[in-house]
Amino acid sequence: ATPTALMAGTGKAAENGILFRDGEAIQTMKDLDVVVLDKTGTITEGDHSVTDVVVEADRQSVTDGGIATDDPGDDADVASGAELDEDELIRLAASAERGSEHPIGHAMIEYAENSGIELSDPDTFESVPGKGVTATVDGRSVAVGNPRFFEDELEVSLPTRIDDRLRDLEREGKTTVIVGLEDEPVGLVSTADTIKEGSVDAIAQFHERDIETWMITGDNERTARAIADQADIDPERVMASVLPQDKIDKVAQLQDKGYTVGMVGDGINDAPALKQANVGIAIGTGTDIAIQSSDVSLVRGQLDALVDAFTLSERIFSKIK
Ligand code: ADP
Ligand code: MG
């Protein structure tokens, strides 16, 4: 491209909210074979809200069965406390998430506040990226996280009832975490996130251009597939339960197959993968680190801007030949 064509092109793109860091990115754009899309915050709004709060403690079934519940010898009392209902479950979980930056935690806190539930400040807090958090709330140890968190980190196996319920909720496309009290799984909280307005159309247009669309997420396979289904992404191209540090390898594996890969993401988690990709694309007002690690920013936060960027790349680089 002549410098003038590039300047004019990038200027025009900037007006449409597409910021290129360098000319090379514009050129590579038209050669992409694969676009890898982060799920949360890229395909979806990333704005979770709580949809389900489920108490699945032994204690609850005892209460439901109408059996006397004031027996101090009841083992479940130790873990579940005297009155574990949905409000108490979300109060403990949201309090534990106070130190967390994760959208799941934010959703719980917001839900509790909207329900007029007063939260406690946790005395201790620890978070494991891609897995969950533990905290001490009102002197009790509270854990909130996915099965991997309970099984690998806490070494607690999940009761069948919790596991079954978890699968059902996940199949509905809901991100679901387990709540544990004193290391005993006692309930579940689901959050859901909506697909961005422009995502479905944009993905259809990638496919029209023979660009393969892949989804990558730390979320579980069932939830990821439900979202992929709505976005018309091939279930075979869903990479789920990917730990933050492993996203980069997934991009590298696609490159090893000979693909030129564009990666779109918004989070800190995505930064190394954005660097690894042939074109790293930050979306939305996202994290600074994501923007710094990218070659292109889509400031309006919609994937359709990427379609415009492809068109621009083709236009500029076909003129010059
Ligand atoms: P993504 O940004 O793709 O959703 P993350 O790596 O941030 O992926 O999270 C992956 C999964 O780890 C979540 O779906 C959830 O199961 C679990 N997780 C991460 N952080 C938390 C948290 N603060 N509380 C509960 N669960 C969490
Ligand atoms: Mg994200």
Side-chain angles (χ1 to χ4, degrees):
T2 64
T4 333
L6 260 180
M7 283 266 284
T10 48
K12 186 111 202 333
E15 282 171 27
N16 293 316
I18 305 164
L19 307 182
F20 285 98
R21 289 185 158 265
D22 56 41
E24 204 189 315
I26 308 184
Q27 181 159 18
T28 315
M29 207 80 178
K30 66 177 188 335
D31 303 324
L32 296 182
D33 304 304
V34 165
V35 176
V36 178
L37 305 175
D38 161 59
K39 175 173 77 69
T40 315
T42 298
I43 298 175
T44 68
E45 296 284 356
D47 190 13
H48 286 252
S49 49
V50 171
T51 55
D52 300 79
V53 180
V54 180
V55 175
E56 275 287 8
D58 287 346
R59 175 71 195 195
Q60 184 68 9
S61 58
V62 170
T63 315
D64 286 350
I67 300 162
T69 53
D70 55 356
D71 175 10
D74 186 348
D75 264 348
D77 278 356
V78 179
S80 319
E83 63 293 306
L84 187 69
D85 57 7
E86 282 79 11
D87 280 3
E88 180 61 2
L89 187 86
I90 196 75
R91 189 186 76 78
L92 293 167
S95 298
E97 293 278 0
R98 269 195 160 173
S100 146
E101 294 278 291
H102 203 276
I104 296 175
H106 282 263
M108 289 187 199
I109 293 166
E110 191 182 64
Y111 179 88
E113 281 170 356
N114 291 341
S115 314
I117 295 167
E118 218 165 295
L119 302 182
S120 299
D121 256 330
D123 294 317
T124 66
F125 172 81
E126 212 177 313
S127 98
V128 183
K131 295 186 176 175
V133 303
T134 50
T136 315
V137 179
D138 302 335
R140 300 156 90 191
S141 111
V142 180
V144 189
N146 54 30
R148 198 160 50 185
F149 185 56
F150 278 80
E151 282 156 7
D152 303 350
E153 303 287 323
L154 308 177
E155 298 182 352
V156 173
S157 59
L158 299 178
T160 319
R161 249 185 327 150
I162 295 233
D163 203 41
D164 288 348
R165 195 67 191 264
L166 176 87
R167 284 159 192 267
D168 289 343
L169 290 163
E170 287 177 345
R171 275 191 212 98
E172 295 171 26
K174 295 167 179 168
T175 298
T176 306
V177 291
I178 300 147
V179 182
L181 265 183
E182 311 296 350
D183 277 354
E184 187 195 325
V186 291
L188 302 144
V189 178
S190 288
T191 62
D193 184 12
T194 47
I195 293 193
K196 285 182 190 174
E197 223 181 88
S199 295
V200 179
D201 270 0
I203 290 165
Q205 296 203 48
F206 300 162
H207 293 158
E208 235 164 72
R209 287 170 180 268
D210 283 327
I211 297 171
E212 281 186 13
T213 310
W214 289 67
M215 173 195 282
I216 193 162
T217 181
D219 212 341
N220 73 88
E221 188 87 31
R222 279 176 292 272
T223 307
R225 285 195 177 208
I227 300 291
D229 188 51
Q230 292 173 48
D232 208 17
I233 294 173
D234 185 337
E236 301 290 306
R237 294 181 185 151
V238 172
M239 300 178 278
S241 295
V242 181
L243 289 174
Q245 65 269 26
D246 295 337
K247 282 190 174 177
I248 183 169
D249 294 336
K250 296 288 179 186
V251 170
Q253 281 164 17
L254 288 166
Q255 290 170 322
D256 288 344
K257 290 186 186 166
Y259 294 130
T260 304
V261 178
M263 159 85 199
V264 192
D266 67 324
I268 298 174
N269 287 354
D270 302 317
L274 292 176
K275 277 213 162 125
Q276 173 67 34
N278 298 82
V279 182
I281 303 145
I283 190 162
T285 44
T287 326
D288 285 349
I289 301 166
I291 293 168
Q292 281 159 23
S293 308
S294 68
D295 305 298
V296 187
S297 287
L298 308 178
V299 295
R300 288 193 190 141
Q302 295 287 339
L303 284 170
D304 50 8
L306 199 53
V307 180
D308 296 338
F310 289 142
T311 312
L312 181 77
S313 170
E314 281 164 0
R315 211 180 290 145
I316 295 178
F317 285 92
S318 58
K319 268 189 200 150
I320 336 124
K321 278 187 262 166

